[in-house]
């Protein structure tokens, strides 16, 4: 005899699990090859929801009748009460719902048909990594959801993932205020951990909030997503993914599901091994695939999860996750090889643009025009050809603020870029410049025109050469340095000539015994020697000592370089007019303040100059 304890709700006269339990026992009894010479009987007890005391009392009543195993209840508080009794009396306890992990592992006499929570958490993390989500929002129904998703919650410490955690409101089940915050925060990748009943209500509220679009991707951890009515959302374009433990694509499983039955037991336990030991060592092939239990904790850790996604044809299997081999996406190549024409065909796109000749202009007509007929230009012709090729329908709207799109100091965007970010428009067709900051928030197609920043500058008026135009080849600083160098060399030559004896001579050669000697390199003569060399004229003074000749030779070489450079540039400076403030690039224009310039407000050119000025200030 087996005992079943089921919870009842006022609005539900018969528990679904109770019906399945009765149907399973009756089918096993009809199949005489499954358990020959054995007939299963059952005793069913009904309790109120959350009544753990009543659950304990009913369990004791069933154990007094001599049941071989207990099945149920479903709620966690009632399960714990029944489990403690089964541990004390060493009676197997069969559980079908998620089990809260125990720290001391005192629960020994149970098996759990529900997949291990740690394995499901790893499966969710594998899918997040596969889709390469960088920012994920986790919405949970109760505190147990945080336990079930521990692997994902710990992911930011190991992977480059940001996680936002939100909780569904309890009681009224109205999640629209929460969804409004998520929509305002541009949270497009959302994981819902809730029951399938709550998931059905949330999907209706998501649709009413206008969040059932292709920009969002929702993932539900419930294993019963396939059982929900997803017909209203098939053609919305939304990305919806979930797990499925029941392989309904198997024909035999489908027939069993229709009959509320279980598949044939492949390896029944031997009578002498004990009922619980037989369950632990047996390998079953049930409706949910392989059923094997961990001998240490009785949890089901070897199982497969089908990855299902909502398509226009309905829910479709796109991959399999195994508790040992991990994720295997079976149709990834199929999705990536799908032609883009299939995804845009028969869709209506909102196209934002801006008035700019000759790209987008108002069409001149003596009759009132409406819709897309109001505009003409290159961008409209390009959009029309794309529509003919890809098969989509479009509606052209002018950007509300009349701007291309720039980012302010707070990081907020305006113009067409803002409308694309806020999903007010699906496409922007305009002469919009591709920049680095824009590429971080929106995607660009290949450019239909490649241009740079052009500068229009008025040619300065010509000026006649002045009296001192011959000084223009060298800057005033260089002229000053040359003069100082001439004075410095003269002083050095004067001092060295005073020290060396070879520069002193007898002014009276006829009187060799005269004590009077003279030196030609006086301070004035030394300066005259330097000026003569600079003017390329020389002088009658010639150094005799080796030291003075070295100084003179160095000065001659210096004057050779200076005079050669001056002579080469003098003719050019006298014939070619130079701008007072030369501009060779856009950087030069941004770095000066003398020449005033302008650009289109909130355009790429204005953004460029703002960044250059900000960089200089920093």
């Amino acid at each position: 005899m087996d005992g079943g304890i089921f919870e009842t709700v006022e609005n539900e006269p018969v528990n679904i699990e109770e019906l399945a339990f009765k149907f399973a026992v009756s089918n096993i009894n009809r199949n005489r090859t499954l358990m020959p010479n054995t007939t299963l009987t059952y005793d069913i007890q009904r309790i109120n929801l959350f009544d753990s005391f009543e659950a304990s009392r009913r369990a004791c009543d069933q154990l007094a009748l001599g049941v071989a195993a207990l099945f149920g209840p479903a709620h966690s508080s009632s399960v714990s009460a029944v489990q403690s009794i089964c541990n004390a009396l060493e009676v197997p306890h069969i559980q079908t719902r998620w089990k809260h992990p125990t720290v001391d592992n005192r629960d020994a006499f149970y098996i759990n048909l529900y997949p291990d929570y740690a394995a499901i958490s790893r499966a969710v993390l594998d899918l997040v990594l596969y889709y390469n989500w960088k920012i994920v929002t986790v919405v949970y129904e109760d505190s147990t959801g945080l336990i079930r998703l521990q692997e994902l919650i710990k992911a930011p410490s190991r992977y480059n993932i940001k996680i936002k955690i939100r909780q569904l409101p309890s009681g009224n089940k109205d999640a629209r205020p929460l969804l409004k915050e998520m929509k305002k925060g541009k949270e497009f990748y959302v994981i819902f951990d809730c029951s399938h009943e709550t998931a059905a209500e949330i999907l209706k509220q998501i649709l009413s909030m206008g969040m059932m679009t292709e920009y969002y991707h929702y993932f539900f951890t419930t294993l019963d997503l396939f059982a929900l009515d997803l017909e209203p959302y098939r053609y919305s374009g939304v990305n919806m993914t979930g797990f499925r433990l029941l392989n309904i694509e198997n024909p035999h499983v489908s027939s069993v599901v229709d009959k509320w039955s279980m598949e044939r037991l492949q390896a029944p336990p031997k009578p002498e091994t004990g009922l619980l030991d037989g369950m632990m060592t047996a390998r079953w092939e049930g409706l949910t695939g392989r059923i094997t239990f961990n001998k240490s904790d009785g949890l089901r850790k070897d199982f497969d999860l089908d990855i299902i996604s909502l398509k226009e044809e309905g829910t479709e299997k796109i991959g399999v996750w195994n508790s040992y081999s991990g994720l295997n996406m079976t149709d990834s190549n199929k999705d990536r090889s799908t032609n883009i024409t299939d995804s845009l065909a028969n869709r209506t796109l909102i196209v934002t643009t801006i008035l700019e000749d000759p790209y987008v202009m108002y069409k001149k007509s003596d009759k009132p025009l409406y819709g897309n007929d109001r505009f003409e230009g290159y961008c409209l012709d390009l959009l029309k050809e794309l529509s003919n090729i890809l098969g989509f329908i479009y509606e052209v709207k002018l950007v509300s603020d009349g701007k291309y799109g720039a980012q302010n100091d707070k990081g907020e965007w305006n113009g067409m870029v803002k409308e694309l970010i806020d999903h007010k428009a699906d496409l922007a067709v305009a002469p919009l410049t591709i920049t680095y900051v824009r590429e971080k928030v929106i995607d660009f197609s290949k450019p239909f025109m490649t241009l740079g920043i052009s500068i229009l500058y008025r040619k300065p008026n010509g000026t006649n050469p002045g009296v001192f135009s011959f000084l223009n080849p060298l800057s005033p600083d260089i002229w000053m340095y040359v003069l100082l160098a001439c004075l410095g060399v003269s002083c050095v030559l004067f001092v060295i000539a005073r020290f060396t004896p070879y520069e002193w001579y007898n002014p009276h050669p006829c009187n060799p015994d005269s004590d009077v000697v003279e030196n030609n390199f006086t301070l004035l003569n030394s300066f005259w020697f330097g000026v003569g060399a600079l003017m390329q004229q020389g002088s009658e003074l010639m150094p005799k000592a080796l030291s003075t000749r070295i100084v003179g030779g160095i000065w001659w070489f210096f004057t050779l370089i200076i005079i050669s450079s001056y002579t080469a540039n003098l003719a050019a400076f006298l014939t070619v007019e130079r701008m007072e403030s030369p501009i060779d690039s856009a950087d030069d224009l941004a770095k000066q303040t003398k020449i005033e310039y302008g650009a289109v407000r909130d355009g790429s050119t204005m953004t460029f100059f703002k960044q250059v000025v900000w960089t200089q200030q920093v």
Side-chain angles (χ1 to χ4, degrees), residues 43 132 147 149 235 245 279 342 348 359 510 524 530 584 596:
D43 178 74
N132 197 24
I147 302 176
L149 298 177
Y235 300 99
L245 186 62
M279 292 180 181
D342 297 335
T348 300
Y359 304 100
C510 298
L524 184 61
D584 297 329
E596 297 181 353

Side-chain angles (χ1 to χ4, degrees), residues 41 83 135 177 252 317 368 474 513 534 549:
T41 59
Q83 181 62 55
I135 302 178
H252 182 66
K317 178 180 176 180
L474 299 178
D513 297 330
L534 184 63
R549 287 180 177 180

Side-chain angles (χ1 to χ4, degrees), residues 1-4 21-23 25-26 29 40-44 62 67:
M1 177 184 293
D2 293 331
F21 178 77
K22 293 178 180 180
F23 211 55
V25 173
S26 62
N29 290 331
L40 289 180
T41 59
Y42 57 82
D43 178 74
I44 293 180
Q62 289 184 336
V67 295

